[in-house]
């Protein structure tokens, strides 16, 4: 029940296109869903996060869509840029859990110039 | 600047040797974590600690050990019992979970190669 499934494993998008990464979870106790961005040789950094009381959250070109009934959430990157090329991880946690986050397997995004 | 420092960036060891990875934070965070990252497998939790002198096993603790003698420091020892130690190791910290939003702050990792 701790698993978070992420797809696709890799994604290639043209500059200016929309990148979409999907995640699904099983544990209904999860109530915090962040996305992390990781550049090669660096640690992941928090990009955007959502709680299940809203269905969508937007920050600049990045949007999280959340479907509580389907237990799915997704990251949309609008107007994708070559600088967005990185590995993206979804994650989920139960607020107050000492274990913190359960991570998806990651999506390697390449934005072609 | 506040942050997490992991050292060294690259580490090479012979099989059968124990090796200790350093993690120091100056964010005044109570909680610290060690993750292992392998291609296609995301981040897997090795150990975590919420308070000095206390820590708990994560999902893949076998072959690893940790200590938390100071709030700022959470070193990880990869022992010879770890069957496949070659990986990218990430240390993270946060305020205590459940205290408002507590995002993880990561260091830049140590890439360990064991031959």
């Amino acid at each position: 029940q701790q698993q978070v499934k992420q797809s696709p494993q890799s994604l290639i998008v043209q500059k200016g296109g929309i990148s979409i990464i999907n995640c699904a979870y099983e544990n209904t106790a999860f109530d915090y869903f962040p996305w992390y961005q990781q550049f090669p040789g660096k640690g992941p950094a928090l990009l955007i996060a959502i709680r299940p009381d809203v269905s969508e959250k937007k920050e600049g070109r990045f949007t999280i869509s959340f479907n509580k009934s389907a237990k799915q959430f997704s990251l949309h990157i609008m107007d994708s840029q070559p600088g967005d090329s990185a590995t993206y991880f979804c994650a989920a946690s139960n607020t107050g859990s000492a274990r913190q986050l359960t991570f998806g397997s990651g999506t390697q995004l390449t934005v072609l110039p | 600047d506040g942050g997490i420092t992991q050292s060294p960036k690259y580490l090479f060891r012979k099989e059968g040797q124990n090796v200790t990875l350093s993690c120091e934070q100056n964010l005044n965070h109570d909680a610290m974590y060690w993750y292992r990252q392998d291609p296609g497998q995301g981040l897997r939790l090795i150990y975590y600690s919420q308070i000095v002198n206390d820590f708990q096993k994560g999902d893949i603790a076998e072959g690893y050990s940790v200590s938390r003698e100071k709030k700022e420091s959470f070193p990880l020892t990869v022992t010879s019992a770890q069957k496949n130690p070659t990986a990218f190791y990430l240390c993270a910290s946060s305020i205590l979970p459940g205290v408002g939003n507590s995002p993880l702050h990561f260091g830049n990792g140590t890439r360990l190669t064991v031959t």
Side-chain angles (χ1 to χ4, degrees), chain B residues 3-55:
Chain B
I4 298 177
T5 301
Q6 291 189 243
S7 61
K9 189 173 179 66
Y10 299 95
L11 192 54
F12 298 88
R13 280 294 183 269
K14 294 289 188 183
E15 194 173 316
Q17 294 179 333
N18 292 354
V19 60
T20 297
L21 282 60
S22 170
C23 177
E24 303 278 334
Q25 55 101 357
N26 60 4
L27 299 167
N28 199 32
H29 285 166
D30 288 297
M32 296 189 73
Y33 308 81
W34 274 104
Y35 288 90
R36 171 179 171 142
Q37 184 174 11
D38 297 282
Q41 295 195 49
L43 281 68
R44 293 182 290 167
L45 183 63
I46 304 172
Y47 268 98
Y48 61 101
S49 168
Q50 291 187 284
I51 194 170
V52 172
N53 293 324
D54 188 48
F55 46 82

Side-chain angles (χ1 to χ4, degrees), chain A residues 26-83:
Chain A
E26 299 170 353
N27 188 344
T28 55
F30 286 153
D31 60 359
Y32 175 64
F33 303 90
W35 285 87
Y36 281 78
Q37 180 188 55
Q38 183 182 31
F39 293 104
K42 302 292 186 182
L46 179 65
L47 185 63
I48 186 173
I50 197 169
R51 293 197 180 272
D53 52 344
V54 297
S55 60
E56 185 174 283
K57 183 174 182 180
K58 183 177 181 179
E59 290 184 2
R61 295 185 294 108
F62 301 91
T63 300
I64 298 178
S65 297
F66 184 80
N67 185 330
K68 187 174 181 179
S69 60
K71 293 187 285 185
Q72 295 176 347
F73 59 110
S74 59
L75 176 69
H76 292 65
I77 305 174
M78 311 300 288
D79 187 26
S80 298
Q81 299 297 311

